[in-house]
Amino acid sequence: MDTYRAAQVDTANGPFSIVEREVPRPGPGHVRLAVEACGICHSDHFFVSGGMPGVRFPLVPGHEVAGRVEELGEGAGSHGWNVGDRVTVGWFGGSCGHCTPCRQGDFVVCDTLKVPGWAYDGGFAQTMIAPVDALARIPDALTAVDAGPMACAGVTTYNGLRRSSARPGDLVAVLGIGGLGHLGVQYAAAMGFETVAIARGAGKAEFAERLGAHHYVDSTGAVPVAEALQSLGGAKVVLATAGNSDAIAATVDGMTHRGELVVIGATPEPLGISPFQLILRGRTVRGHPSGTAQDVQDTMAFSALHGIRPVAETVPLSEADTAYQKMLAGAARFRMVLTTA
């Protein structure tokens, strides 16, 4: 019997353990992947904690997966995939194809979106099964460690910016320069925006500049964030990557007229924004999900073209629990990535 190793949690908020499982066969329209790298996303905590409906234990999380196609299920080859192809699977792990959003072509907000680690076993393992509509082709310029985080953190920030109302030359602020934000700053600068990085502490200014930011705002400084943004002319778009509702709300008055707040940092806490703040200046607030497999492929192509890479710390699969706890404590700099080599 062929087996593979996986990092699983047996109960909500339980520790990760390494287990041996029988290698599965892919069904129709699915492929089996040999996982090479998998990023650890803060959203994994929603599943590990049992906080999302329908989560089942034991659980193998992981939705920033990079690897190679190892076996094709029936019909998978007709979609253009071959054994050996380098692919990612991200937050978008497949869609139903028949709900109203899918029939409108808006697959990433499918009523039954198949998120790896929730709908099926994710990439904290040497092997996983995924539907073909979840696959994005990795360009040669990216390693597996580069590509894995692009399937969630990368596509979320890239799509959030390219689908915003900002145009080249506009002032765009990225709130937070952590796992999401350090990519968001790079994308904003590469897209031609006058880029402002907002983070806690003056010590991050140099790093923000290295990422491509033209300005840095210390959210703990004497000048309020909104005032600092207005002194620069007001932000056309704020990309809120930090999962902190107070920090997000503090940027709203820093936006220009018709400014847009794009929220991608997940938190259950409500935003303290008054209707007056939005109505009088015609501002909007928009939540932005991740992106489809094609969006991930676009993200990777743009990243390869512009030399954009995640700052990642690699950890072997056997140390999944240590790596996950480091992410959860906010100590990751800036993406923890599990490797199976």
Side-chain angles (χ1 to χ4, degrees):
M1 179 180 70
D2 291 334
T3 62
Y4 71 100
R5 300 169 73 221
Q8 71 177 34
V9 288
D10 295 324
T11 58
N13 288 319
F16 281 89
S17 60
I18 304 300
V19 298
E20 293 276 341
R21 293 183 170 192
E22 184 177 356
V23 173
R25 300 295 302 274
H30 287 67
V31 301
R32 187 175 77 240
L33 303 180
V35 177
E36 296 176 350
C38 185
I40 301 177
C41 180
H42 196 274
S43 298
D44 288 319
H45 180 60
F46 299 150
F47 311 128
V48 173
S49 67
M52 299 296 279
V55 170
R56 298 182 300 275
F57 294 93
L59 174 79
V60 178
H63 58 265
E64 291 189 342
V65 187
R68 296 179 185 271
V69 176
E70 195 169 48
E71 183 180 358
L72 301 171
E74 181 184 350
S78 66
H79 293 267
W81 300 105
N82 297 290
V83 171
D85 285 346
R86 302 178 65 231
V87 298
T88 64
V89 178
W91 177 266
F92 178 84
S95 58
C96 73
H98 56 75
C99 67
T100 298
C102 284
R103 286 170 61 85
Q104 293 173 339
D106 202 356
F107 301 104
V108 77
V109 287
C110 170
D111 288 345
T112 54
L113 184 68
K114 301 171 186 175
V115 181
W118 186 8
Y120 54 85
D121 286 342
F124 286 20
Q126 294 174 318
T127 290
M128 70 175 283
I129 302 291
V132 291
D133 63 329
L135 305 181
R137 197 176 302 277
I138 301 173
D140 291 341
L142 299 184
T143 67
V145 171
D146 293 333
M150 297 291 181
C152 181
V155 69
T156 303
T157 50
Y158 175 76
N159 252 6
L161 289 167
R162 75 165 171 171
R163 294 187 177 180
S164 75
S165 58
R167 296 297 176 262
D170 285 343
L171 189 77
V172 169
V174 178
L175 173 64
I177 51 174
L180 290 166
H182 87 285
L183 287 166
V185 171
Q186 294 179 75
Y187 288 131
M191 290 177 184
F193 303 139
E194 184 179 352
T195 304
V196 185
I198 306 170
R200 295 175 58 86
K204 296 179 182 178
E206 183 181 350
F207 179 60
E209 183 179 356
R210 292 205 308 269
L211 293 173
H214 303 97
H215 311 280
Y216 179 75
V217 172
D218 174 8
S219 62
T220 65
V223 180
V225 169
E227 187 177 328
L229 291 176
Q230 288 296 347
S231 72
L232 295 170
K236 178 66 175 176
V237 167
V238 173
L239 182 71
T241 75
N244 182 309
S245 292
D246 289 341
I248 294 171
T251 68
V252 172
D253 286 335
M255 295 193 296
T256 187
H257 64 283
R258 304 292 180 186
E260 181 183 21
L261 174 61
V262 181
V263 181
I264 62 175
T267 174
E269 299 301 323
L271 291 173
I273 300 172
S274 77
F276 274 122
Q277 289 176 284
L278 305 178
I279 294 169
L280 296 179
R281 299 288 282 166
R283 296 168 174 142
T284 59
V285 179
R286 178 170 63 86
H288 175 75
S290 179
T292 65
Q294 183 59 54
D295 292 326
V296 174
Q297 204 158 302
D298 293 347
T299 301
M300 291 191 290
F302 186 88
S303 301
L305 182 65
H306 291 276
I308 295 171
R309 302 291 188 273
V311 177
E313 179 181 346
T314 58
V315 177
L317 179 66
S318 60
E319 298 178 24
D321 192 69
T322 299
Y324 176 79
Q325 295 301 331
K326 186 171 183 178
M327 176 282 299
L328 205 58
R333 292 294 181 268
F334 286 89
R335 216 67 182 167
M336 305 298 297
V337 180
L338 300 176
T339 59
T340 59

